[in-house]
Amino acid sequence: MPPFLKKFFPSVCRKLLEHTPIDRYCQFNSQKLTMFTSSLYLAAILASMVASYITRKLGRRLSMLLGGMLFGSGAIINAAAKDVAMLIIGRILLGFGVGFSNQSVPLYLSEMAPYKYRGALNIGFQLSITIGILVANVLNYFFAKVSYWGWRLSLGGAMVPALIITVGSLLLPDTPNSLIERGQHEEAIAKLKRIRGIDNVEEEYNDLVAAGETSKLVEHPWRKLLQRKYRPHLTMAIAIPFFQQLTEINMIMFFAPLLFKTIGFGSDASLMSAVITGAVNVVGTLVSIGVVDRWGRRILFLEGGIQMSICQIAVAIFIGVQFGVSGEAGNLPKWYAIVVVIFICIYVAAFAWSWGPLGWLVPSEIFPLEIRSAAQSLSVSVNMIFIFAVGQVFLIMLCHLKFGLFLFFAFFVVMMTIFVYFFLPETRGVPIEEMAIVWKNHPFWGRFFADDDLPSNANIEMEKNGYVTKTV
């Protein structure tokens, strides 16, 4: 919004309002703007470390409650901001809220969901985010028309998701896993019966108790995470969020408003860009919900990676041909912009049904209870570290590498697709507490497991429930 940029980032505003030809690659290259954007992720890194302890010792529910309250506080401060320092403080509080929420919500969903529908229910978290982004972008368009203070409504609107997660955490029960881990066995049985809708929960309860007893023996989960048998979990906790951020979907979105303006939407270009790509994002996430528990995680990772790499290379060629290294668009043909927009939408769809939701789902479902909070905290921290790092250098890299930046990230999309093919086993339909058998059966990761590292009833339970673990 121009009034927001004029008040807090005047140098960026001047670039946008200049009528002389500008370098599209460098128009938003402002260190102050970058720091404002990235401060959220730096705060989330720190918060996720604290949230690991709270989530384990005090429960998932309390961690979600703190996340909602911190996020709401940040929204209020940002809406009332009078200078950049106040903006950054509010942004940091938002980051604390994100750190707590991303630590606890995926764990909560994975532990509460029946294993047969764990993928779809967990991706509901990502669906809520994509719908929220779409609604926020539509509202921002109308807020932008509210004279000088519309940006305050936009930033204050973050109170809505903050209230939802705060009130929700007060109304929802804690997970049976967490209750057992904290010694509240009677309450855990009652909650398990209520959640599953049946009285015969003894088998699942016994599995959770066995996992809980193992967890209690672990005094230092971070140190435990470094043991040899957790090498696969440690690798995935780092590699999956690392690769997820190097898809760099934000870069694809960066040029979208200009292309929509060229097609003919004029001053409504940013809105139409946000609405169309946001709608594609929502639809893609719905597709993922519909097929993740039928087709599995691997096939979505692989197909999405191939689709995204092709689209990034195509967009790099189109942007490079038209913008060159000068960054001046000149007279961009309408048909040309339409083709690029189509590739952007195909890219967004691929991300929405693969690395977008699965980047959160898979780490939350593969960790045994004794290291779950620590490993999830590590996964969230790695995610935020690379969002922060990429955010710090993205505009600088775009300004210097030009369209070559698309090829830079396309290379990583290819690499992460190869990584998934060789190193990530299928986790569809496997109870969390019996996930060790999946790693044991993997041709590479199996070497890190001894027979006594597996749950005593793992093979029996896998066969009883009809799980067939296949690895490539």
Side-chain angles (χ1 to χ4, degrees), residues 39-55:
S39 58
L40 183 151
Y41 307 112
L42 189 60
I45 296 167
L46 301 176
S48 64
M49 299 296 183
V50 178
S52 170
Y53 177 84
I54 292 176
T55 302

Side-chain angles (χ1 to χ4, degrees), residues 36 39-40 70-71 73-79 84-96:
F36 164 68
S39 58
L40 183 151
L70 288 166
F71 199 85
S73 301
I76 292 172
I77 292 175
N78 272 347
V84 174
M86 200 169 173
L87 267 184
I88 292 177
I89 291 171
R91 188 80 172 167
I92 288 172
L93 287 173
L94 289 175
F96 287 152

Side-chain angles (χ1 to χ4, degrees), residues 296-313:
R297 285 66 161 149
R298 277 173 54 84
I299 191 170
L300 291 178
F301 267 131
L302 296 173
E303 190 282 332
I306 293 170
Q307 188 170 320
M308 285 191 293
S309 60
I310 293 172
C311 289
Q312 278 195 328
I313 292 170

Side-chain angles (χ1 to χ4, degrees), residues 6-26:
K6 185 177 181 180
K7 181 176 179 64
F8 298 107
F9 308 102
S11 62
V12 175
C13 187
R14 284 194 297 270
K15 288 182 183 179
L16 293 177
L17 296 178
E18 286 177 357
H19 296 290
T20 56
I22 60 173
D23 185 344
R24 297 289 179 182
Y25 298 120
C26 301

Side-chain angles (χ1 to χ4, degrees), residues 151-169:
W151 63 268
R152 295 190 184 276
L153 294 175
S154 178
L155 295 179
M159 274 299 299
V160 175
L163 286 172
I164 291 173
I165 194 169
T166 301
V167 174
S169 62

Side-chain angles (χ1 to χ4, degrees), residues 188-208:
I189 293 175
K191 297 298 183 187
L192 198 57
K193 289 180 179 179
R194 179 184 172 190
I195 294 165
R196 300 296 180 244
I198 57 175
D199 291 328
N200 184 16
V201 295
E202 183 177 354
E203 194 172 292
E204 183 175 0
Y205 171 73
N206 289 336
D207 285 344
L208 296 180

Side-chain angles (χ1 to χ4, degrees), residues 60-291:
R60 284 60 164 149
R61 188 165 163 261
L62 180 61
S63 187
M64 290 191 292
L65 176 62
L66 289 173
M69 293 173 64
L70 288 166
F71 199 85
S73 301
I76 292 172
I77 292 175
N78 272 347
K82 294 184 178 181
D83 51 37
V84 174
M86 200 169 173
L87 267 184
I88 292 177
I89 291 171
R91 188 80 172 167
I92 288 172
L93 287 173
L94 289 175
F96 287 152
V98 169
F100 273 92
S101 300
N102 283 345
Q103 162 72 17
S104 54
V105 173
L107 282 185
Y108 184 91
L109 293 171
S110 288
E111 291 180 348
M112 292 290 272
Y115 59 83
K116 291 182 180 179
Y117 309 108
R118 185 176 63 238
L121 292 175
N122 194 295
I123 292 175
F125 173 56
Q126 181 72 11
L127 177 64
S128 299
I129 292 173
T130 57
I131 292 175
I133 292 172
L134 176 59
V135 172
N137 284 330
V138 173
L139 291 177
N140 284 345
Y141 171 74
F142 294 104
F143 290 155
K145 297 183 180 296
V146 184
S147 65
Y148 184 76
W149 50 274
W151 63 268
R152 295 190 184 276
L153 294 175
S154 178
L155 295 179
M159 274 299 299
V160 175
L163 286 172
I164 291 173
I165 194 169
T166 301
V167 174
S169 62
L170 291 172
L171 298 177
L172 292 171
D174 216 334
T175 69
N177 311 63
S178 179
L179 293 170
I180 290 171
E181 192 175 22
R182 290 178 284 139
Q184 301 174 32
H185 290 260
E186 293 300 322
E187 188 177 353
I189 293 175
K191 297 298 183 187
L192 198 57
K193 289 180 179 179
R194 179 184 172 190
I195 294 165
R196 300 296 180 244
I198 57 175
D199 291 328
N200 184 16
V201 295
E202 183 177 354
E203 194 172 292
E204 183 175 0
Y205 171 73
N206 289 336
D207 285 344
L208 296 180
V209 169
E213 292 301 321
T214 303
S215 177
K216 287 181 180 178
L217 298 175
V218 179
E219 296 183 3
H220 305 287
W222 288 97
R223 191 182 303 168
K224 185 84 170 177
L225 187 55
L226 299 177
Q227 291 184 3
R228 178 180 174 83
K229 66 178 180 179
Y230 299 121
R231 202 68 51 79
H233 311 81
L234 180 62
T235 302
M236 295 302 163
I238 295 173
I240 290 178
F242 166 74
F243 283 130
Q244 185 192 45
Q245 292 314 311
L246 288 177
T247 61
E248 197 41 43
I249 191 169
N250 294 327
M251 179 185 62
I252 292 290
M253 300 295 196
F254 186 87
F255 282 93
L258 175 63
L259 297 166
F260 277 88
K261 185 175 182 179
T262 301
I263 291 173
F265 288 109
S267 60
D268 292 339
S270 293
L271 170 68
M272 294 312 300
S273 168
V275 169
I276 292 177
T277 55
V280 171
N281 203 3
V282 170
V283 172
T285 306
L286 286 170
V287 170
S288 187
I289 289 175
V291 303

